Amino acid sequence: MTIRVAAVGDIHMGPDSEGLLRPAFETLSDCADLLLLAGDLTRHGTPQEARVVAREVRDLPVPVVAVLGNHDHHDERPEEVTAILRDAGVSVLEGEATVVECAGGLVGIAGTKGFGGGFVGRSAGEFGEPVMKEFVRTTRRSADSLHAALKELDQRDCAARVALTHFSPVADTLAGEPPEIHPFLGSYLLAEAIDTAGADLAVHGHAHLGTEHGMTAGGVRVRNVAQPVIRRAFNVYRLGGD
């Protein structure tokens, strides 16, 4: 059977946008089995903004799984943002996995925010000043946690596995963004984690001027679901079946 995955990122909600997405989200049971939120759910990562997001997704007809984005960290209270979203029933992942039961079977989602660093041939190295080493190590730790979460799903008899990040694992979906900022939009280390652990789909946001469709070197479909890219409340991707 086909599993229908709805996804969107970079909705950047605040008090003045409350209720904007709720009508579309309430139709999800007609077209999707679950909703993935690919980070940057708020504008500045404040609890007030997080509560707006929580009201938007509370008691939806499908399970909701999310990762945070860089905007959700800006106020330096990601734990509070996470707690508010979890109180609304959202599974918020950071280096973790969860399994959602759908009519088409179990869907495993492994999630992490990710980080920058660039892509093969144009990437930062773990060398030199401590701050530079820590930049790359942050991405490596994130990629390692994504790999471990995807591998954990191997043991869960999932019909499909999805990698959910905010930062991009591939350069393909950054087409349209200035090349100079690609190293700050994603890292090939995330794609390596996805390819070596295995997944059926990778979903990310962050690149507002990017392109929807991409693929890892190992052949995993990658979709940039930043709302400025998809230009709608969510897109739906089908896994399994024909």
Side-chain angles (χ1 to χ4, degrees):
M1 295 182 67
T2 300
I3 295 165
R4 306 165 300 170
V5 180
V8 66
D10 302 82
I11 55 178
H12 295 288
M13 301 208 77
D16 61 335
S17 60
E18 183 161 0
L20 187 64
L21 294 175
R22 181 73 189 194
F25 285 167
E26 288 180 346
T27 71
L28 280 164
S29 59
D30 297 329
C31 59
D33 299 300
L34 70 155
L35 173 64
L36 303 182
L37 300 175
D40 276 7
L41 311 180
T42 66
R43 295 172 186 168
H44 303 98
T46 66
Q48 180 189 24
E49 293 170 345
R51 283 189 280 272
V52 172
V53 180
R55 288 190 287 271
E56 213 77 358
V57 300
R58 185 184 299 275
D59 298 325
L60 288 182
V62 299
V64 183
V65 182
V67 295
L68 299 188
N70 54 303
H71 278 248
D72 306 317
H73 280 254
H74 179 70
D75 202 45
E76 299 185 9
R77 292 193 275 182
E79 294 85 4
E80 290 183 54
V81 171
T82 296
I84 291 166
L85 294 175
R86 285 178 173 164
D87 284 347
V90 180
S91 295
V92 183
L93 306 178
E94 180 49 57
E96 301 158 301
T98 190
V99 175
V100 173
E101 188 171 355
C102 303
L106 298 179
V107 181
I109 302 102
T112 185
K113 175 176 66 68
F115 201 51
F119 303 91
V120 175
R122 296 179 176 85
S123 60
E126 201 170 321
F127 182 85
E129 299 91 334
V131 68
M132 190 63 188
K133 292 176 184 174
E134 183 57 26
F135 182 93
V136 178
R137 286 171 184 165
T138 297
T139 305
R140 189 176 298 281
R141 286 193 292 266
S142 183
D144 288 347
S145 71
L146 180 64
H147 181 275
L150 284 167
K151 291 299 288 183
E152 176 189 331
L153 293 172
D154 275 343
Q155 316 303 318
R156 306 289 292 275
D157 194 30
C158 295
R161 289 183 295 166
V162 180
L164 175 62
T165 64
H166 180 61
F167 285 76
S168 177
V170 297
D172 297 2
T173 51
L174 306 184
E177 294 280 3
E180 294 84 357
I181 68 169
H182 283 197
F184 304 101
L185 297 177
S187 169
Y188 77 95
L189 294 174
L190 296 170
E192 284 192 349
I194 292 166
D195 280 342
T196 55
D200 299 284
L201 176 70
V203 171
H204 74 88
H206 196 40
H208 291 199
L209 301 178
T211 302
E212 182 182 356
H213 296 266
M215 187 172 290
T216 69
V220 176
R221 289 180 293 160
V222 180
R223 299 294 180 260
N224 176 3
V225 298
Q227 194 174 51
V229 172
I230 64 173
R231 298 174 181 267
R232 63 193 69 187
F234 54 84
N235 265 2
V236 177
Y237 305 100
R238 289 168 172 78
L239 305 175
D242 297 326

